[in-house]
Amino acid sequence: LYPARTAEPVLEARQMVALGLSAEGRFREAIAEYRTLVGARIELLGPTHNSLAGLYNSMGNAQLQAGEPKEALATYEALVAVVDANDRGATLNRAVGRYRVATALAALRRYPEAVAALESALEMSDAIGGAQSVRSMRWRSGLAGFQARAGDLAAAEATLAKVDHALLVDDFGRAEASLNFAIVRSLQGRDEDALRLLADADRFLASQGNATMRSSARVGFAMTYFRAGRAGEQIEAIEAAERTLSRQDGAESPDLADLRTALGRARLDRGDADGALTSLREAERFWMRFDPAGSDAARVQGHLGLVLAARGESAEAAKSAANARAGLTRSVRADDMRLLADLVRAGL
């Protein structure tokens, strides 16, 4: 419909199509559209034109939703390169770019790097709007969650002390903060506090219609019971969360692997060692591809050791338990301490 010299209206129309696809949950179709748009804009305007920032931001978001964190990280890094080429000093675009990089790093379980990226984003956010701005409050609660997952519970607690819930003016912000507080409390072993916070998050989200965050709340609920050593009590909730995330993320999601670990332990606690082994082997296969030397892989090995021992496979159980101890020796997380104690009680 348009000659080449007026291609910009075509690009704008296709961008609206991509946004619509994302809104409908058709993330991979949206990603394909965004890739076409990025290539066209680079050809038309050059690789550092500021209009690319919005495209990279939207494409990275779609990639995260599609369960493609590696691709999302590359896209967000391209976003940072564009905004840094156009802006200087503390600007909102530069802050948001670094925040996006932090979320992708966290999705990849690269929590120390995620902490550094989010600290950089927060420094800019504080400079722009002050440390008491809603944006900084929200991001600071996220930083606490990353710090806790990185194993620095003391830093996470110090960060939470700087988050004022009264400054979070809408239910979405309150829900996000409650989810992040719940992560810290769960990893500290304060399980009832974590469950209360998750219930708060679900209540706040009831008015938002945000399916992604409500799913996060349900996953958080299931994982909190798992970390508390009470997975068997909530096997139905864990199964439901696993089914939901499986539909969303396919086979390449760390969160899905976590839920399969939780499901394996729940099945073991209910006396179903065969079902437990199936779930844990699925989780093991994922972590062996994704991060074989990481603490998540070690946790799977610990629970796998308990299942193998219950099945009478003593030699394999001892091997898995040794792998778990080697990977979790320095952990300060309450659930890791509980797992290591379970291995001792099982004679492993």
Side-chain angles (χ1 to χ4, degrees), residues 138 169-177 204-205 207-208 210 213:
R138 288 177 54 201
V169 296
D170 60 35
D171 284 346
F172 182 88
R174 295 187 187 103
E176 185 178 44
F204 291 138
L205 289 168
S207 64
Q208 296 295 312
N210 188 303
M213 285 194 69

Side-chain angles (χ1 to χ4, degrees), residues 16-160:
M16 293 302 296
V17 169
L19 288 169
L21 290 168
S22 288
E24 293 176 0
R26 296 160 62 182
F27 298 115
R28 288 183 171 83
E29 293 173 74
I31 292 164
E33 197 68 38
Y34 283 126
R35 287 201 179 102
T36 299
L37 284 163
V38 165
R41 283 199 180 275
I42 289 173
E43 183 178 355
L44 188 67
L45 301 168
T48 60
H49 193 271
N50 204 38
S51 65
L52 285 164
L55 284 176
Y56 283 135
N57 185 65
S58 296
M59 185 164 79
N61 294 347
Q63 287 166 327
L64 274 186
Q65 293 282 354
E68 299 178 3
K70 292 180 182 179
E71 293 80 359
L73 177 59
T75 299
Y76 289 144
E77 287 173 338
L79 164 61
V80 169
V82 167
V83 296
D84 283 358
N86 287 277
D87 297 351
R88 295 291 181 271
T91 70
L92 182 57
N93 284 341
R94 296 187 77 207
V96 169
R98 284 155 176 78
Y99 171 77
R100 297 299 190 202
V101 167
T103 61
L105 287 166
L108 288 165
R109 302 300 172 92
R110 292 162 58 178
Y111 290 115
E113 294 170 81
V115 167
L118 189 45
E119 285 176 336
S120 177
L122 261 171
E123 183 179 356
M124 291 185 184
S125 179
D126 290 350
I128 296 163
Q132 301 300 304
S133 70
V134 172
R135 179 181 56 251
S136 285
M137 286 294 110
R138 288 177 54 201
W139 289 5
R140 196 160 274 112
S141 76
L143 175 62
F146 293 170
Q147 289 168 325
R149 289 178 178 274
D152 195 344
L153 295 177
E157 188 65 32
T159 299
L160 288 185

Side-chain angles (χ1 to χ4, degrees), residues 254-272:
D255 288 340
L256 180 57
D258 280 349
L259 279 169
R260 286 174 173 161
T261 302
L263 183 56
R265 184 56 190 263
R267 286 172 169 166
L268 176 63
D269 292 349
R270 290 286 189 93
D272 180 10

Side-chain angles (χ1 to χ4, degrees), residues 330-341:
R330 296 185 178 181
S331 176
V332 297
R333 287 173 43 162
D335 57 320
D336 290 340
M337 299 301 98
R338 186 177 292 111
L339 174 57
L340 292 173

